[in-house]
């Protein structure tokens, strides 16, 4: 009888513990999802993907072909980003100005890839990349 009683108590305790942990895990997951929602800026992520796929080949091996073929995409993404509703934490004149600058630089780059010298394209791509990082740093708070 003593053994059955302890076994029942252990099973009861284990069941309670499992449900308790599952509930905390679900709450933690839900809170994380809500917190991440505040740190998601879809237009920035879309621009970033194209920027990474065009800038890194240049940076890593001086390959400008990706930017030459995708500069129009960068310009479109910059235009969409600049015209999108800003998240509250960056909804200010400074950010609007940075996005307009990004948009203008992307338009210049999209035009340059049609006929400009590779050195000009490389310089404009680097400038656009630097502007992007200014925006990204403002979004992440310098982290």
């Amino acid at each position: 009888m003593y053994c059955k009683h302890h076994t029942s108590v252990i099973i009861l305790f284990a069941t309670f513990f499992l449900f308790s942990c599952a509930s905390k895990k679900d709450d933690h997951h839900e809170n994380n999802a809500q917190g991440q929602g505040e740190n998601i800026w879809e237009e920035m992520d879309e621009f970033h993907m194209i920027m990474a796929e065009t800038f890194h080949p240049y940076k890593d091996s001086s390959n400008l072909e990706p930017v030459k073929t995708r500069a129009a995409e960068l310009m479109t993404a910059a235009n969409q980003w600049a015209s999108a509703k800003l998240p509250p934490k960056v909804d200010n004149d400074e950010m609007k100005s940075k996005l307009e600058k990004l948009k203008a630089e992307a338009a210049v780059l999209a035009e340059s890839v049609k006929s400009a010298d590779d050195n000009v394209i490389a310089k404009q791509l680097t400038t656009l990349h630097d502007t992007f990082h200014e925006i990204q740093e403002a979004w992440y708070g310098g982290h």
Side-chain angles (χ1 to χ4, degrees):
M1 189 77 174
Y2 178 75
C3 223
K4 285 183 180 180
H5 177 66
H6 278 137
T7 303
S8 297
V9 169
I10 291 171
I11 291 172
L12 183 62
F13 178 74
T15 304
F16 174 76
F17 181 76
L18 287 173
F19 280 112
S20 174
C21 288
S23 176
K24 286 180 184 177
K25 182 179 177 184
D26 291 344
D27 290 347
H28 176 72
H29 178 71
E30 185 177 308
N31 288 339
N32 254 359
Q34 288 173 354
Q36 286 178 348
E38 296 171 5
N39 290 320
I40 294 174
W41 192 359
E42 188 175 320
E43 294 82 7
M44 181 181 70
D45 293 341
E46 290 171 10
F47 185 88
H48 187 198
M49 290 302 297
I50 303 166
M51 175 55 76
E53 293 169 356
T54 57
F55 181 75
H56 289 285
Y58 163 68
K59 181 183 174 201
D60 296 342
S61 60
S62 300
N63 180 3
L64 288 170
E65 287 309 308
V67 74
K68 288 179 179 180
T69 60
R70 299 188 71 190
E73 276 183 79
L74 275 170
M75 182 180 70
T76 298
N79 290 343
Q80 289 172 343
W81 191 7
S83 64
K85 181 173 172 33
L86 295 178
K89 80 178 194 179
V90 291
D91 191 358
N92 56 56
D93 290 339
E94 181 181 356
M95 183 56 73
K96 290 173 186 172
S97 177
K98 287 179 189 286
L99 287 167
E100 285 302 316
K101 180 180 174 187
L102 183 90
K103 181 177 154 181
E105 290 172 356
V108 168
L109 178 63
E111 190 60 35
S112 293
V113 297
K114 296 176 183 175
S115 61
D117 176 76
D118 282 358
N119 291 327
V120 171
I121 295 168
K123 184 175 184 204
Q124 291 173 347
L125 176 60
T126 301
T127 299
L128 182 64
H129 179 262
D130 292 347
T131 300
F132 165 71
H133 271 281
E134 286 177 23
I135 295 167
Q136 191 178 44
E137 287 173 18
W139 170 249
Y140 288 116
H143 302 292

